[in-house]
Amino acid sequence: QVQLVESGGGLVQAGGSLRLSCEGSGRTFNHNAMGWFRQAPGKEREFVAAISWNGGRILYGDSVKGRFTCSRDNAKNTVFLQMNSLKPEDTAVYYCAADGAPYGLGSSTTHFDYWGLGTQVTVSS
C-alpha cells in the first residue's frame, strides 16, 4: 500500500518557522516529482511548492516565494518544506503529494496521484 505521511505541523507565532516532512512508503518516488499543497477552511486547495525528481527544478506558489524552501532526500524517500517568516494567512492543512509518472513537474493538483492525509499548521498573530 502506497502511503505519504506528513509530520512537523503545529502552532507557531507569526514570524516563526516550521519544517514539514513527508515520507513515502510502499514504493519509491526517487524518479517522481513531489509537492506540497495547502487548504484553509472554506477555501480551495492551493499550490505551495513542487520539486522535480532530482531537485533540479523547484516551483513555488506566489504567496510563499522567498519564505518557503522545498527540498528532498531520495535516500529516505522524503520531501521537506521549510517555512520561514510565517504569517497568519499561512494557516491551513498542508498536504504532501507525489506524481505517479516519472520525470514530470507541475503545479496543478491533477499532476499528482498520491496524497497524504495532511498536517495542520496554525500561525497566531
Side-chain angles (χ1 to χ4, degrees):
Q1 181 181 2
V2 178
Q3 284 188 314
L4 296 173
V5 179
E6 303 96 338
S7 61
L11 174 64
V12 64
Q13 288 188 332
S17 299
L18 282 175
R19 188 187 194 215
L20 305 184
S21 300
C22 171
E23 181 176 4
S25 62
R27 62 161 285 178
T28 177
F29 293 106
N30 291 354
H31 301 286
N32 305 79
M34 299 186 76
W36 293 93
F37 290 76
R38 66 187 183 186
Q39 190 165 17
K43 296 189 176 181
E44 293 188 353
R45 193 162 294 193
E46 176 190 15
F47 172 71
V48 175
I51 186 167
S52 63
W53 70 279
N54 62 353
R57 292 179 60 204
I58 307 175
L59 307 177
Y60 292 101
D62 288 342
S63 61
V64 306
K65 283 180 181 176
R67 300 187 298 123
F68 290 11
T69 302
C70 186
S71 61
R72 65 189 297 161
D73 183 343
N74 283 348
K76 297 180 179 179
N77 216 24
T78 297
V79 64
F80 304 98
L81 185 69
Q82 177 66 43
M83 306 186 294
N84 298 330
S85 302
L86 282 161
K87 305 175 182 180
E89 51 263 44
D90 294 317
T91 295
V93 177
Y94 283 70
Y95 296 92
C96 173
D99 188 350
Y103 306 124
L105 182 66
S107 59
S108 169
T109 56
T110 58
H111 281 99
F112 297 90
D113 302 289
Y114 301 98
W115 293 85
L117 296 179
T119 185
Q120 176 71 46
V121 171
T122 303
V123 184
S124 63
S125 57

